[in-house]
Amino acid sequence: MAQIVLKEVVKRFGPHVAVKGVNLQVRDGEFLIMVGPSGCGKTTTLNMISGLERPTSGEIVIGGQMVNDLEPGERGLGMVFQDLALFPHLTVYENIAFGLRVKKVPEAELDRRVRAAAEAMHIAPLLAKRPAQCSGGESQRVALARTIVTNPSVFLMDEPLSSLDAKLRVDMRTELKRLHERLKSTFVYVTHDQAEAMTMADRIVVMSRGVVEQIGGPLDIYRKPATQFVAGFFGTPTMNFLSGEIEARDGGLAFASQSLREPLGDALPADLAGRRIVLGVRSEHVEVGRGKTPGRVQLIEPLGNESLVFFEFGGDAPLVAKVDAETRLRPGDNLTFGFNPAGYHVFDAQSGARLN
Amino acid sequence: MSAVAGMTRAEAERAGARNVRRRRWRVVLRHAALIAWVAVIMFPIYWMIATSFKEKHEWVAWPPHWIPHDPTIKNYSQIFAFDVQESGVAREATEQPFNVWGPLVDSLLICTLSALVALLLGTFLAYSISRFNVGGRHFRHAILMIRMVPPIVIAIPLLMYYAIMIPLATETVLGTRILLFDTRLGVSAIYIATTLPFVIWMMLTFIEEVPYTLEHAARMMGAGRMYTLRRVVLPLVASGMVVTFLFVFILNWAEFLLALTLTHPDVVTLPVLLNKFQSASEGRLFGPQAAIGTLITIPVVILGVLIQKHLIKGFSFGTIRK
């Protein structure tokens, strides 16, 4: 019913190509999150779905209908903006009623629907106020109420939580997810915050420089990033990357850099020997105290339940490992470490594509 | 411990007192200078008001009469007189009775009409320049350049068009002669043309304050361009429109050169009327002139105060979170 399909969608702004041929299927009732660094084309893609931007080429199909030439208001979408875009001169009530007034909904029904939407977002006491008199969280709810009141089949959200403080942002995440459960509408959500994407999405679209890097469930993307970019974008702390090349050794393949020689197991095809690669290992797969390679602690960051240890070992950049909070290490201490081969991510040094 | 090592508490207090005294002196000096400047600026206005209450022999008395010796409202009765002959205040040497009513109506009509039309046109033009980049990147500066042409340069060419070319052209093409010379419409038209750049420039700054996303939000909810303008953009720039209207009104209210050139004898605006209170036989009629001058100044002062109030309101709608 509200499936969205993007076919080879391109958007140019003068000489600059913001979106370079995106193909995407948003399933009905799905919570899809587009994530990427600023300038990756995610907001432009969202704006093309909404109709605020016209694609330079390609097709956008919503619910089986080609909508390229349809006005935004005719597409049956609701949108929450980054700055919320509440009308400052109208009361909260009139803000929520705006879309219904445009559609000339009869006064009695309008009143009933506005109050129901306000009730659902727990902002009934605010109806007579102006947006300027509402707190950040309240404004957020007003913006959501204004969107749900028209019953759109698709919700588009452009970084709606970015203006909230950290605590409120986490609370609103839960609330948005609950809203999605309740409405069962399609959500397309844009953010640059990977944690937001991981916690809320059914599926994540990772974009970079106008192209889709990977589409998949949050855990798929975390466990099997398709490119080095995706691997580096998801997870805190950032994944460790080691440049080196693949050597054939003892009948298997091994990773070799200036200071390290690590067997890679048998997950890789044998013809990769001699290839320049980047080996990615997340901090939880760096095992301090297990292996034989020596290193020296630079920095400890306690997180409470565990700690991050930054140490150098003779490579280009220091490595980071997640260790138990009880581990007694201090800057300057010597340690030995090894990798858990289950956590190896092998990327081509040139293209960044995953090889294992 | 005092701030400077080795200084006793008493010394520190004395230094502090010296500082306070020096600062107080600076304040006194600054205010004295400002008061002196205000006196220089305000004196002619005082003189005009004082003269409007003076008898004829006091107008140019020497040494000057700083305040009217026998205050009179004769000057005002003359300019407000309906029936000049009857009220006995007709000008002694000429047959030409002058009162302020006709010119007051002309001025009010012309200034209101032209400011309203210019505001309407300018607001929509500014909107299209702001949102659709009409005219390209440098258009908004090009608009202001029009204002750099001194009015005296265009006054005579305009007279040619008003008096000859436009009547001739309309008679030939339309069969009926459209007169712009010496009509309220003609004066209004030139006022609209000359103030439009100001309106566009002022409304641009107000409209650019309205975030695009508000219009996007309205569009997403199905509102058309005109609906969005009416319900979202115009209410948000309303106080800006009031300020602009008053500003343009004042400009036109005080305009002299074009009104003088493009009218005679039917349409008379107040500044032109002011100039008519003189003749070869009796010289300048400073009393009635001063009365008219005072009359013209009153709305300007009132509107000025209004603008000030609205300007503060106009620039304070930053209620969108950024």
Side-chain angles (χ1 to χ4, degrees), chain B residues 6 27 72 93 108 137 215 229 240 243 246 252 258 267 297 317:
Chain B
V27 171
T72 173
L108 277 176
R137 207 148 47 91
E215 288 173 62
L229 262 172
V243 173
L246 297 180
N252 293 342
L258 292 171
V267 176
T297 311
F317 58 67

Side-chain angles (χ1 to χ4, degrees), chain A residues 338-350:
Chain A
F339 299 126
N340 177 355
Y344 282 156
H345 305 270
V346 182
F347 303 105
D348 187 275
Q350 237 126 53

